[in-house]
Amino acid sequence: MVTMATNGTGATAAFTPVLAAMSTMRDGQREQKKAAHQFLESFQKSAEAWQITIGLLQSQADAEAKLFAATTLRGKITYDVNQIPTEALPALRNQILELLKVFATGPRPIRVQLCVCLAILAIQMTEWKDVMPMVISTLGNDAESHACILDFLKVLPEEVTEGRKINLTEDELSQRTQELLGDNASLVVRLLIDYAQSSDSASTNPQLLEVITSWLREVPVADVVNSPLLHVIISALDTDRSFEAATDCLCAIFKETRDVDEYISAIQVLLPHVIALKPRIAQAAEQEDAELFKGITRIFAEAGEAWVVLIAREPTVFRPLVEAVLECAARDMDRDAIALTFVFWYELKLYLILERYIEARMQYVDVYSKLVDIMLKQLEFPTPDGNESDLFDGDREAEEKFREFRHHMGDVLKDCCEIMGVTECLTKVLERIKIWTRDYASQATTTSVPHWQQLEAPLFSMRALGRMVDKDEDIILPQIIPLIVQIPHHEKLRFATIMVLGRYTEWTSNHPELLEAQFTYIVSSFQTDSKEIVRAAAMAMKFFCTDCKHLLSGQVVQLQQFYNQTLDKLPGISQEELTEGVASVVAVQPPAQIFDLLKLYCDPLMARLMALANEAKDDEGKLAIADHMQLITYFVQIVTPYVEPGQENPAVKYCQEIFPILATILDTFIDFNPVCERICRNWRYMVISYRTAMAPLLPQMANKLANGFAASKQGCFLWVTAAILREFSEDREHVDEQTTQAIYAFFEAQATNMLRMMSDLAPRDLPDVIEDFYRLMVDALLYYPHKLIGSELFTPIFQAGISALALEQRDPLNAALHYLRDVIGYGGDNPPSSSDSPNPPDIQQAVRDLILANGEHLVKQILAGMMITFPDDCFTDGSGALLGLFELMPQQTAGWVDKTVRMLPAGTIREPEIDRLMSGIRERLALGHDGLRKVRSLLQDFTNSYRRRYVAPRDGLGRLEAERFHFSA
C-alpha cells in the first residue's frame, strides 16, 4: 500500500536524507552537489520513493520540497507504476485526489504536478471508467475547486497524446484515448460553457481559455465555433489578463481549420470576427503596446497561414485579411512583430506561383509590391543620435538579432520577386539608389556620407535577390553595376557593395564588359584598413575567380603576383578563400602549362611551409604549419587536369616533387595531431583528385602511412588508406592485379596494427581512431568483400567491433554499428556491395558461421547499449543491426534476446514484462517477413521504456558488462 503516517519520528527520519540532499543542491559545494544529485536520482527510481513523496506532500515541509515530491510522484506513476500491486491503485488515486483538495488554493506548480499525476494514473488504470465524473464530484463545486478541475482538464489531453511514455500497447492506448477524451468531449464543452457563463471573472479566466486550447484536438472545432465559447474567446481579447491565452486559443482554432474544405462553414463564421479586429492594429501601434501588437499580428498571420488556399481561391473575399497582415508589417516600427508574418508571405507565394491561381496572383501583385517597399525600409540600419561608429549603443545582442533578422527579410524579398518578377523588384532597388544619389551624393565627403542607411538597404536587398536573377538579365543590372562601383567610400557601403558584386559573379561571367570595373574595385578593397572589408573582398575574389575563371585565364601570371603580395596580409579564412579562387583559374589552363603554373603558385607556399617548420617551437608555431598546409591542399583539390591513361599527369609530377618535403615534415611532427591530419588530408586529396595516376607515388605513400599510423595511433592515416582502397579497388579500370594485391596487403597491415591497439587499450582510450578504423572497414567490405571475408582478420575485426559498442560517444558507435550491419547483410542475398553480382553461397555461409559464434555477445552489447549506454542518435543503427539478425536467423536471435534481458540488474524489471516481450516477439516472428518490422518496434519500445525508468548502475553493468577484446597475431 502507498500510505504513510505524517506523525511520529519514522516519517521525519525517512524525509531527512531527501531534504538534506535538496539543501545541498541549493547551497553545497560542487562535489557535494554531484553526490546529492546522484542520491536524489537514485531515490527517484527506488520503491521507497512512493511512501516518502506522498508523506512529504502531507507534511509541513516547505513548498520547494513538496514540488520535488510532486514531480517525483509524477515520474513514479509514469515509469514505475508496476512497483505497486494492481489492487492498491485505487488507494493511490484516492490519495492524489485528497492531496488535490489540500492544494486546491495553491501553490499552482504543485497543483499542476498533482493533476498530471492523476491524469497519467487515469490513463494506466484501464478499469477506472468514470474518471471525469469522479474527479469533478470529488473536488467539489466551490470557487477554489474550479481552478483544480480546470488544471486537470488542461493536462489530461496533453498527457494522453504523450502516451508513448506509458507502458501500454498501441491498442490499449488507443482504446483508453477514446474513453478519456472522445467519450468526454461533449461533457467538457458543456462544463466550459457553464463555467464561462457563471461570472464575468470566469469568462476572462486564462485557465478556461487554456483548457479550450488543450481540448481542440478532441472536440470538433465546429462545436466550439458555433457555441457561446467563441464569443468568450473573442471577448477575452479585450482584457489584459486573458489576451495572451485568448490569442493562443484563437490561433489553435485556426490550425484546426487548415483543411479548409472540411471546415469551410467554421471559417465563414470566424472570418468576420477576425477582420473586425483590424482597427486594433492601429490602436496597438499608437499605444506603443508591443505585446498587444505582436498578439494581433499573430492572429492575422496565423489565420492567413491556415486559410492560405482559400486566399488564393477567393482573393476578393479574403483580401481584407491579406491587407491586415500587410498593415501589421508596415506599422511595426520596432521590428518585433513583423517576423510573425514571414511564413504567411512564403506560403501564399507557393500558391500564387501556380498556374491555376494566376488570376489571384495578378490581384495580389500590388500587395507584394508594397511589401517590397516595407522590407526596403525595415532593412535600414538604425540612425544613431550621436556615435556613428556604434549603431546599437553597445547592445551586441540587438545588433546580432538585427543582422539575423535582415537575412530573413531577404527571404521575403525573394518571395516578392517570384510574384512580381525580377525586373520589377530590381527596378525598385534602382529607384532607391537613384533617389539617394539625387538627394545626397553631392553632400558626401571622404569622411562623411549622409543618410548612408538609405543606400545600404537597397544594396543588401540586391545581395538577397542574387539567387533569383538570371545571368541573362539585361535590363536593370547593366544600369546598377556601374552605379554601385562609384559609391562614396564608407565602410558599411563598401562592404555591402563587395558582397553584391561577389553575389553576381555568375551574371558577370555572361557580361564580360563589366568585369574589369568590378574586379578593379575588389582588388583595390584589399588596400583598406577595415578587416571586415578585406574579408569580404577575399570572399568576393573567390567567387570572381571561380565563376569568371575563363575570362581571367589570360591574367593567370599577373594574378600570382597579386596573390603572393597579398596572402600574408590576410587572416586564415581569407587566405583559404583567395587560394581557392586563384587555384580555379590555374585549373582551366592547358595541361601542358599546369606543372609550371603549380611551381609558380605553390613553390612560394612550400618555401613558407618549410620556413614555418624550421621555426616552429611551440604549439602555436605548429598550428601555423597545419593552417598553411591547407593552402597547398586547395591546389591539389582544384587543379585536376585531364590526361589520357598511361600519360604522365603534370599535377602528379608536381606532387612527386613536394612529397619528400611533406613526408619529412610529417616525421618531424608525428606527435602533433593537427599537422598529421593536414598532411594526411593533402595526401588523401592527391588520391581522390588524380586517382589511378597516383600509382607511381603509392609505394612511398603506403610506407609513410603504415609507419605513421603505427607510431602515432592517429586515425588520419586511415583516411588516406580508405581513399586508396576506394580508388584502386578490384573493379576499377586501369588497375592491374598486382597493384590491387599490394594495396590489400597494405590495408591488412594497417588493420593488424589497429587490432593490436584495440587489444592493448580499452575502447574508451581510442574513440576517434575506432571511428576512423570502422569507416575504413565499411569501405574495405564494400570494395574488397571476398578478400576481407576470407581473411584471417575478418573474425577479430568483427569481435573488436562488438567490444567497441561499450563506448558512449555517437560517432565511433555509429561507425562500428554501420560496419556490423554491413557484415550481417553479407549473410543474406542482398549485401551492401559495390557490384551487381549475386552474393556467393560460401560468403553467406562464412558470415552466418561468424554470427552463430559471436551473435550472443553482439546482441548482448547492442541491447545493453540501447537500454543503458548508447546516446539517442545510435538507436536506429542498433535496432537496425538487431533487425538484420532477426532476418538472418530469427529463432537464434530471439534466444539471444531472451538470455540478454534476463541478465538485467535485479529489481529493474519484472519477469512478466520479459515474458510479455518474448511472447510478442515470437508472435510477430510467426507472421514471417511481415512481422520483422514489428519485432524491431517492440524492441525499441521495450528499450526506450527501460531506459527512461532506470539510470545506469554506477558500479558497472554486471553481467551486461562488455568483454575486453584480445588479439594475437
Side-chain angles (χ1 to χ4, degrees), residues 113-125:
Q113 287 298 321
L114 289 172
C115 286
V116 173
C117 290
L118 190 61
I120 298 171
L121 187 61
I123 299 166
Q124 297 185 81
M125 282 183 66

Side-chain angles (χ1 to χ4, degrees), residues 264-296:
I264 187 65
S265 58
I267 293 169
Q268 288 169 343
V269 173
L270 288 165
L271 182 61
H273 288 287
V274 174
I275 299 302
L277 296 171
K278 198 173 176 185
R280 299 284 293 276
I281 303 171
Q283 177 189 340
E286 287 160 10
Q287 293 173 356
E288 297 184 358
D289 187 332
E291 291 308 310
L292 176 61
F293 192 87
K294 282 173 73 173
I296 293 296

Side-chain angles (χ1 to χ4, degrees), residues 302-323:
E302 294 198 23
E305 289 171 35
W307 306 334
V308 64
V309 66
L310 288 178
I311 293 171
R313 280 186 201 164
E314 303 179 41
T316 307
V317 174
F318 284 87
R319 186 177 175 99
L321 178 57
V322 179
E323 289 176 341

Side-chain angles (χ1 to χ4, degrees), residues 206-218:
Q207 274 186 280
L208 166 68
L209 297 156
E210 289 168 3
V211 175
I212 298 172
T213 304
S214 183
W215 276 82
L216 274 169
R217 286 185 185 176
E218 318 307 327

